[in-house]
Amino acid sequence: RRGPEAAMAAEPHSLFALSAAAVSRSMAALERDVWALPGHLLRGLLPLLTVFHLERAEHAARRAGLSTQPIWRKLWDDVMKTRPPNSESITCWRKKFLETFFSNVLHGVLDVSSDWRLNDRHFSPLLHSSPHVSQLTLCNMLQGAVELTAQHNHKVLENLAGSLRILKFQHLISCDQSIRRSLVLLLHRLIHHGSVSQVSMYSWPVPDAVLLVLILTMSAGFWRSGNALAYHSSPCGLCREEDKGQSQEGAERGCNAEQEGSSGENQKKSPKETYAAMNSVLSGPRSPPLQNPACEETSSEVPCGHSSIQGDSSPCSSSEQLSCHPTPQKTRRRLKPAVGRKRRCLRRSRGQYADPEDLYDFVFTVARENNSGLLDKTRITEGENTENCTSSSSGSPCAGHSGCKKRGPAGILSLKAAHRFRSVSTLELFSVPLTGEMCRTLSNLLSSWVSLENLVLSYNGLNANISCILSGLRALSRHAECRFRVLRVSDMFSHMPCMELVRCVLSALPQLHTLSISFDLKNQLEGSRSEANPSCSEAEIPESCLEVLEIRFPREALHAAFLLPVLKASKSLQQLSLDSATLPCPQELGLLLELLRECTPHLKKLSFHDVNLAEHQKEVLLLLQDPGLQEITFSFCRLFESSTAEFLSEIINTVKRNSSLKSLKLPGNRLGNHRLVALADIFSEDSSSSLCQLDVSSNCIKPDGLLEFTKKLEGHMQQRGGQLPFTHLRLFQNWLDQDADTAQEALQRLRALCSVVNDSWDSSQAFADYISVM
């Protein structure tokens, strides 16, 4: 083989090259006998195997009590040639290598001929690594989606459908219809008929509205019946089996025979016949009853759909032009006669059949023609039924049913005509700007997304549109099957005060378990602040299930009185994190601690980040002696900015007497060497502390100080008979590079006592960066 033979040509006496060549030639014939070798022989053979045979040898190695992890780690170093992020947390290098290998081969950044261990005629890179892929990222113009949906990768896609859990999109670029077809098929297989539970989108500064709606709607489990016909030469095999079963069931009930056979016959029909057949399927019995029964009769017809997704009123392009959909001639339910504007629309559309792809691309965007002839966009709806045709969740006009309102919109594509498939449980949007129209679309998807458990919206420029998102979530919370539990919202500007937003969220979602609200800056345009919920601040919050509350203030004042109603409603609160808050007076922190003791008896974790506590030493000590808290974080809180040695001594004595505190995190508080050494006395012989985790990152600690701290810990350990509760130490971003030898000695001795996590931080460069910013 080329790799070993090249090695033999260069080094003819190399035992490694000879062994590798011999193994490579004879492995297929001797495989059964090789795996039966004794453990000590197998240990010497494993490093000589190609990836294909190393993967197949995994079971034999485990049976012999051998670990292949060092070999996979060396493969990573030799092939990937990069340091993986969070390498200390990687538990299986085999999975890490094969998952990254799959992604790199898929995106064309790795050549399998670059290493003899990859260049094996038995080894199909995508096929053999796909069962190990649980997370996949698709980038740019979705080239990976095109490759995975190609016919020759059918088995690869099947493997991914069983293994993939997280699907990510990053730096997407607008793509043509053919690529969107591939994406539709990929999402349909991996989400609707697969195991993907999380969809994440990252860094999409100017999102393509069509592509974004496509990903969102398919993630929510919606797919228009018949779109397999529009996007592929044949329907999805799994859907075809389902169609067959449901068609048989429909035949038993006396359903129309033409509708039953449409999915298999449309492939040979003319475009006009195919379109009519698709419309027949759209109104067929497969569709779940997503709409309210009061509007069910009128919504069964396929109305004229003037669809546009752009945020302006400029003329649409050819792929976005408005289309008028003819009513199917044969349907099971008797349709009401078209009247007024709709009849005129049908006359205009006679003989003009819409592009079938428009049916999908704009399925969740709705436009209506007002009296002046202009297009006025309205949102889709699932049919919240009210007398005055107003959505119960948001107060906006009902746009879901052509018969709900006498002068209502003429054209919609209702959700009732869509199939409802399996949907994901986690949706994350990072740096993806959302327009008002897109927020309304997302809101309506959320209103029935019963499988959704986690929603992360980060830097989407929501502003006032946050109320639209809450409207959809409020409607979702009314579903008996709702499983929504985690909401994380972060953005550059806050549209309303943080505490007011927290109150609104808890009022709308009392079943929420985790709420994280984070803003960088206040909105300087005071006139744009929300007035949609003027009574939100005064309304009483219902009792909630909240367990975790995280708030990052845009330098807002933290008033305990504003937090009081939230704490009273959150009796189950276990974690509270307050970030970048300003304490208007010393009494506020004392009042806050008093409220925490009275209102949150189950609080276990409390965190303050970037909150100036230099003048609150008494309150800090009260927190450290609280018997209910198990984890306390003071991160960049200037604890020792103007403190005395007595304060440090009081902290140590307080922690020594607290047997419930398990974790103390003090990053960024200017500990320095002498204070770090003093903290070792927490574990002295007379201590009753159970502290097992200590975080002293970013504290200007030097190698000599760390070594002295280590020696002091060793002395306390000897005094306590070799037993210390201390198990984890975090040392990120300290000045350990100033004396590499001393730092290495300290770390080696520390690792004999506990688990140490640190990094190779360049303190001189960091200091230079700090000076340049100043």
Side-chain angles (χ1 to χ4, degrees):
R1 300 188 60 79
R2 191 178 77 171
E5 289 172 359
M8 284 191 293
E11 300 180 29
H13 302 292
S14 170
L15 178 62
F16 173 82
L18 291 171
S19 301
V23 169
S24 182
R25 290 194 183 98
S26 61
M27 184 60 69
L30 301 179
E31 191 171 82
R32 183 177 302 175
D33 296 330
V34 167
W35 301 150
L37 288 174
H40 67 283
L41 295 179
L42 188 59
R43 181 184 295 108
L45 177 64
L46 289 176
L48 306 179
L49 302 182
T50 64
V51 169
F52 174 77
H53 293 298
L54 180 61
E55 172 67 12
R56 295 171 67 88
E58 188 70 27
H59 180 69
R62 289 182 180 179
R63 189 173 61 246
L66 302 177
S67 174
T68 60
Q69 293 299 305
I71 302 173
W72 290 108
R73 175 61 200 264
K74 187 178 188 306
L75 263 173
W76 177 280
D77 294 337
D78 294 345
V79 175
M80 305 303 176
K81 297 181 173 63
T82 60
R83 180 182 179 183
N86 302 320
S87 58
E88 63 277 353
S89 63
I90 296 175
T91 57
C92 182
W93 281 97
R94 172 190 176 211
K95 173 178 168 45
K96 180 66 177 177
F97 175 85
L98 290 172
E99 187 172 53
T100 307
F101 174 77
F102 178 91
S103 180
N104 288 348
V105 171
L106 179 66
H107 293 103
V109 298
L110 180 63
D111 182 8
V112 294
S113 64
S114 62
D115 193 292
W116 67 268
R117 288 165 292 188
L118 309 177
N119 194 13
D120 191 315
R121 64 185 178 86
H122 302 289
F123 184 51
S124 174
L126 294 181
L127 180 62
H128 288 101
S129 58
S130 56
H132 302 273
V133 179
S134 61
Q135 178 174 296
L136 178 64
T137 300
L138 299 177
C139 306
N140 303 326
M141 293 191 67
L142 298 168
Q143 300 93 327
V146 176
E147 177 67 19
L148 290 175
T149 53
Q151 187 61 36
H152 63 273
N153 281 325
H154 171 74
K155 183 58 179 176
V156 175
L157 191 57
E158 291 297 311
N159 289 341
L160 288 178
S163 66
L164 199 66
R165 298 294 182 270
I166 301 175
L167 182 60
K168 297 182 178 181
F169 297 93
Q170 191 168 10
H171 307 305
L172 292 188
I173 303 174
S174 298
C175 54
D176 58 26
Q177 293 286 357
S178 63
I179 296 178
R180 285 210 295 270
R181 293 187 189 106
S182 298
L183 179 61
V184 167
L185 292 175
L186 184 71
L187 293 175
H188 182 59
R189 188 63 186 91
L190 297 181
I191 297 177
H192 298 166
H193 295 302
S195 304
V196 170
S197 60
Q198 175 178 325
V199 169
S200 303
M201 284 177 265
Y202 295 81
S203 303
W204 202 356
V206 185
D208 182 309
V210 173
L211 195 56
L212 180 55
V213 168
L214 188 154
I215 296 172
L216 289 176
T217 52
M218 297 199 72
S219 298
F222 287 107
W223 193 21
R224 299 289 290 192
S225 305
N227 270 276
L229 300 174
Y231 279 88
H232 202 254
S233 59
S234 63
C236 166
L238 298 176
C239 285
R240 190 163 59 243
E241 293 176 6
E242 183 182 350
D243 284 339
K244 182 179 179 181
Q246 294 191 1
S247 296
Q248 291 173 353
E249 181 181 354
E252 294 173 1
R253 298 179 181 178
C255 291
N256 191 303
E258 179 180 340
Q259 182 177 346
E260 295 171 11
S262 62
S263 65
E265 298 172 0
N266 285 342
Q267 301 173 41
K268 300 179 181 179
K269 295 180 180 180
S270 66
K272 186 177 297 187
E273 292 172 325
T274 299
Y275 179 78
M278 289 175 62
N279 273 332
S280 177
V281 176
L282 287 175
S283 58
R286 276 193 67 183
S287 304
L290 295 179
Q291 293 180 338
N292 223 302
C295 297
E296 186 173 352
E297 182 177 354
T298 58
S299 63
S300 63
E301 55 188 303
V302 180
C304 165
H306 295 284
S307 301
S308 175
I309 200 165
Q310 302 300 326
D312 53 24
S313 58
S314 58
C316 299
S317 63
S318 59
S319 64
E320 298 164 353
Q321 52 186 277
L322 308 177
S323 59
C324 300
H325 303 163
T327 305
Q329 297 178 357
K330 295 183 180 181
T331 55
R332 185 183 175 193
R333 186 178 296 147
R334 187 172 69 87
L335 301 180
K336 290 187 176 181
V339 294
R341 187 182 303 120
K342 183 177 180 180
R343 181 174 295 167
R344 292 195 301 272
C345 180
L346 289 175
R347 285 200 300 268
R348 286 197 304 268
S349 67
R350 189 168 296 158
Q352 297 176 3
Y353 290 87
D355 184 350
E357 291 167 354
D358 287 346
L359 289 174
Y360 186 83
D361 290 342
F362 306 106
V363 64
F364 289 107
T365 56
V366 183
R368 68 185 177 192
E369 189 176 9
N370 58 26
N371 293 332
S372 62
L374 298 177
L375 291 176
D376 179 21
K377 293 184 184 165
T378 60
R379 66 184 187 88
I380 59 164
T381 180
E382 290 198 290
E384 297 90 350
N385 181 32
T386 56
E387 293 293 333
N388 58 358
C389 223
T390 298
S391 168
S392 60
S393 63
S394 63
S396 56
C398 174
H401 320 293
S402 56
C404 284
K405 194 173 181 180
K406 189 172 182 180
R407 299 181 64 185
I412 56 170
L413 293 171
S414 72
L415 297 186
K416 183 175 178 60
H419 285 224
R420 193 63 183 267
F421 291 92
R422 178 186 175 276
S423 51
V424 302
S425 60
T426 298
L427 176 66
E428 298 180 341
L429 301 176
F430 296 92
S431 298
V432 181
L434 299 178
T435 63
E437 188 74 19
M438 195 59 63
C439 286
R440 286 188 289 275
T441 300
L442 178 58
S443 175
N444 283 279
L445 290 172
L446 292 174
S447 65
S448 64
W449 200 332
V450 292
S451 72
L452 191 67
E453 300 176 12
N454 306 279
L455 177 62
V456 180
L457 300 173
S458 181
Y459 293 93
N460 309 114
L462 294 178
N463 293 321
N465 291 321
I466 184 65
S467 60
C468 180
I469 301 297
L470 289 181
S471 174
L473 292 175
R474 184 186 295 110
L476 173 63
S477 68
R478 297 193 184 104
H479 285 263
E481 302 163 354
C482 174
R483 290 183 282 175
F484 188 66
R485 295 295 180 268
V486 179
L487 175 62
R488 301 183 185 276
V489 178
S490 58
D491 221 322
M492 181 66 70
F493 295 103
S494 62
H495 179 64
M496 63 177 71
C498 284
M499 291 312 306
E500 182 179 343
L501 180 56
V502 169
R503 292 172 63 103
C504 291
V505 172
L506 293 182
S507 298
L509 306 169
Q511 81 282 8
L512 208 61
H513 285 184
T514 299
L515 174 61
S516 177
I517 302 293
S518 174
F519 293 105
D520 295 337
L521 302 169
K522 289 184 181 180
N523 194 336
Q524 300 300 324
L525 302 176
E526 295 297 332
S528 65
R529 285 203 178 254
S530 173
E531 297 178 359
N533 297 289
S535 61
C536 184
S537 300
E538 292 78 17
E540 184 177 353
I541 305 175
E543 184 174 348
S544 73
C545 303
L546 197 66
E547 296 178 357
V548 180
L549 176 60
E550 301 172 351
I551 308 174
R552 183 160 70 93
F553 299 85
R555 293 298 171 190
E556 287 182 5
L558 174 58
H559 294 282
F562 294 161
L563 194 57
L564 175 59
V566 174
L567 296 179
K568 281 186 175 181
S570 309
K571 301 293 185 182
S572 303
L573 194 66
Q574 298 182 19
Q575 301 181 39
L576 176 62
S577 175
L578 302 174
D579 186 344
S580 303
T582 302
L583 297 170
C585 62
Q587 290 76 22
E588 285 292 339
L589 183 57
L591 182 57
L592 172 61
L593 301 186
E594 184 178 344
L595 293 177
L596 290 176
R597 284 193 294 268
E598 293 178 0
C599 302
T600 55
H602 303 291
L603 191 66
K604 294 180 174 60
K605 298 182 180 181
L606 181 61
S607 173
F608 290 92
H609 175 78
D610 199 12
V611 179
N612 188 356
L613 299 178
E615 305 300 328
H616 299 275
Q617 298 181 5
K618 177 182 176 182
E619 287 76 13
V620 168
L621 294 174
L622 288 173
L623 281 173
L624 291 173
Q625 67 186 25
D626 190 316
L629 294 176
Q630 297 180 5
E631 180 178 308
I632 298 177
T633 300
F634 298 118
S635 175
F636 294 88
C637 290
R638 312 181 196 176
L639 281 184
F640 304 105
E641 186 174 275
S642 57
S643 66
T644 62
E646 294 179 0
F647 177 54
L648 178 62
S649 179
E650 289 175 337
I651 286 180
I652 294 171
N653 291 329
T654 301
V655 176
K656 286 171 65 174
R657 294 191 298 267
N658 189 343
S659 59
S660 62
L661 188 63
K662 306 294 183 183
S663 174
L664 180 59
K665 299 181 180 180
L666 303 170
N669 283 289
R670 304 183 185 179
L671 278 174
N673 282 355
H674 67 286
R675 292 192 182 95
L676 174 68
V677 174
L679 287 178
D681 289 334
I682 293 175
F683 308 100
S684 62
E685 188 178 5
D686 61 341
S687 172
S688 58
S689 171
S690 300
L691 192 69
C692 56
Q693 297 185 21
L694 181 63
D695 187 346
V696 290
S697 302
S698 304
N699 270 297
C700 309
I701 297 170
K702 298 180 181 179
D704 55 340
L706 183 63
L707 182 58
E708 190 175 349
F709 171 78
T710 304
K711 293 177 179 177
K712 203 168 186 179
L713 274 181
E714 291 173 340
H716 291 320
M717 187 173 182
Q718 291 178 356
Q719 294 174 357
R720 298 178 61 147
Q723 296 292 329
L724 273 183
F726 187 43
T727 57
H728 290 80
L729 178 67
R730 294 175 66 88
L731 283 167
F732 288 110
Q733 295 187 355
N734 281 297
W735 297 351
L736 303 183
D737 59 329
Q738 294 188 358
D739 186 345
D741 294 338
T742 303
Q744 187 65 24
E745 180 186 355
L747 291 173
Q748 286 180 351
R749 296 172 68 166
L750 263 178
R751 290 191 174 103
L753 305 176
C754 61
S755 174
V756 181
V757 181
N758 69 314
D759 57 358
S760 54
W761 189 59
D762 187 348
S763 59
S764 59
Q765 182 60 45
F767 183 73
D769 293 342
Y770 176 74
I771 294 297
S772 65
V773 171
M774 291 180 61

